[in-house]
Amino acid sequence: MASTIKVRTISAATETAISVANSGFARSINFGTGWTTIRVGLHLHMNNTGADLTGTPRFALGLCKGTTNLFGDSSTDHFVGICTTAATWTLGGSYYFNGSLFSPAKRVGSTLTTGTTFGQSVIARLDTGAKRSCCFVDITKGSPNYSFRHFCLSNVPTTDVSAASFLTQMESPTPALTTHTFYTAQTLAVDETANGTLDSICVSWDRLTAPIEICDIALARLA
Amino acid sequence: MGMFGLSLFDLPFLTNNHTLGTGNIPSDSAESYADGIGLNGISGGVNGSHVYSLSWTTEYFDHNNYTGILASDDAESYSDGVALNGLSGGTGHSGAYVNHDY
């Protein structure tokens, strides 16, 4: 199923989102090569299947080389970011979660390499009321190890994060929101010279029955 | 020297007729620069020719690598139900969305 646009009404306002379901997308951004730290951020929530999601669902967020061969394709040109590595996304009262949901990740060809998991991540469901949250990855260059930080909902969602708050947090070196956590850095070796310069945002979700809706997407240069 | 210390030579300057190429103000058409070169440090253009005209005093100093949000899309410009592939709303991007189905 192709990624499509989904319009809802949230808090009496129109919320238009990119609904990703067994699909992925990329979009090029001219952020050059002189960056030290890039943040890719999503403002999101997801649909409910009524059951746990099993079989290691893959949700990925990060940067890729070009827009031709993406994270979820049979062969990837070069993806660097984070992806989910947990075998099961457990259904909670108003959310899906796992105690170690995301890991730093790179994919070159058909080889996925992941690092140490960050910790508990939660994605709120939209069937129990609006509880949109932030999901960021900060990518900092190193040689050879790039470092990755993850900012996400990490506990039972209690508030709905607004689009304005999302953008404010996107620009903050140390984002902070209720029930969100900014995890300490994990590392992974990355070689842009050998595998391709990262120049595009890339998002991927391999499940059809629980579309993830991306209400806002942004890229910020932090350093 | 006339009234107020001005002379006949100042008349063109006093007319406010300082359009590009009249020789009274510094200007740079950029035509002397090669395609694709960086701006920082280049110093083309011409100065005003009159004794009271303004002049360029330095080369260009280009500041880039700004931090902050470089691109964003709130998706609000899109219609319900349309496919993402090819949409190009938002700001700061250099291409449209490319969607791949699995």
Side-chain angles (χ1 to χ4, degrees):
Chain A
M1 181 179 177
S3 304
T4 56
I5 302 303
K6 181 65 181 178
V7 178
R8 299 182 183 278
T9 299
I10 295 177
S11 301
T14 298
E15 174 59 273
T16 308
I18 298 167
S19 179
V20 186
N22 201 29
S23 58
F25 65 84
R27 192 171 184 188
S28 56
I29 297 171
N30 185 21
F31 54 88
T33 57
W35 57 275
T36 301
T37 301
I38 288 287
R39 171 176 293 160
V40 182
L42 304 179
H43 181 217
L44 79 176
H45 53 184
M46 68 183 292
N47 287 264
N48 182 15
T49 67
D52 293 350
L53 303 179
T54 59
T56 315
R58 291 280 191 217
F59 179 46
L61 160 67
L63 302 173
C64 62
K65 170 190 174 293
T67 58
T68 303
N69 296 306
L70 310 182
F71 176 88
D73 295 342
S74 57
S75 180
T76 305
D77 282 337
H78 191 198
F79 168 88
V80 173
I82 57 175
C83 79
T84 54
T85 51
T88 299
W89 292 29
T90 303
L91 181 68
S94 60
Y95 49 85
Y96 282 100
F97 80 104
N98 187 282
S100 50
L101 191 60
F102 283 94
S103 301
K106 68 174 181 181
R107 193 167 193 260
V108 180
S110 60
T111 302
L112 175 65
T113 306
T114 58
T116 304
T117 58
F118 291 100
Q120 180 161 289
S121 297
V122 177
I123 300 179
R125 299 193 328 259
L126 53 84
D127 60 298
T128 56
K131 293 290 188 293
R132 295 165 295 180
S133 63
C134 293
C135 183
F136 296 173
V137 56
D138 291 3
I139 303 170
T140 299
K141 284 181 177 177
S143 182
N145 285 338
Y146 281 31
S147 63
F148 302 77
R149 296 194 71 177
H150 178 39
F151 177 68
C152 64
L153 187 65
S154 58
N155 212 320
V156 177
T158 57
T159 58
D160 178 46
V161 176
S162 69
S165 181
F166 163 75
L167 291 175
T168 298
Q169 297 305 317
M170 275 295 300
E171 294 193 298
S172 171
T174 53
L177 284 171
T178 302
T179 63
H180 283 62
T181 297
F182 190 33
Y183 285 109
T184 56
Q186 302 295 341
T187 61
L188 200 62
V190 172
D191 189 343
E192 289 190 70
T193 301
N195 297 317
T197 301
L198 304 166
D199 59 10
S200 302
I201 283 179
C202 185
V203 174
S204 179
W205 173 229
D206 70 353
R207 295 306 166 105
L208 183 64
T209 56
I212 292 176
E213 296 188 11
I214 299 166
C215 303
D216 300 273
I217 183 170
L219 178 142
R221 177 178 174 153
L222 301 182
Chain B
M1 187 72 71
M3 246 181 350
F4 311 117
L6 299 174
S7 72
L8 288 175
F9 295 106
D10 298 304
L11 286 176
F13 186 76
L14 294 172
T15 61
N16 270 340
N17 194 20
H18 313 308
T19 55
L20 199 66
T22 61
N24 291 323
I25 58 172
S27 62
D28 188 358
S29 67
E31 299 302 327
S32 62
Y33 309 136
D35 184 36
I37 68 169
L39 179 67
N40 195 57
I42 61 177
S43 55
V46 294
N47 293 320
S49 58
H50 190 271
V51 65
Y52 295 130
S53 294
L54 302 174
S55 300
W56 298 105
T57 57
T58 69
E59 68 275 26
Y60 288 104
F61 289 89
D62 181 40
H63 289 198
N64 53 19
N65 299 332
Y66 292 122
T67 58
I69 294 175
L70 303 184
S72 64
D73 188 2
D74 63 8
E76 298 300 330
S77 63
Y78 310 134
S79 299
D80 189 35
V82 303
L84 179 68
N85 193 57
L87 295 181
S88 58
T91 60
H93 304 86
S94 53
Y97 286 104
V98 176
N99 179 74
H100 288 188
D101 301 335
Y102 303 145

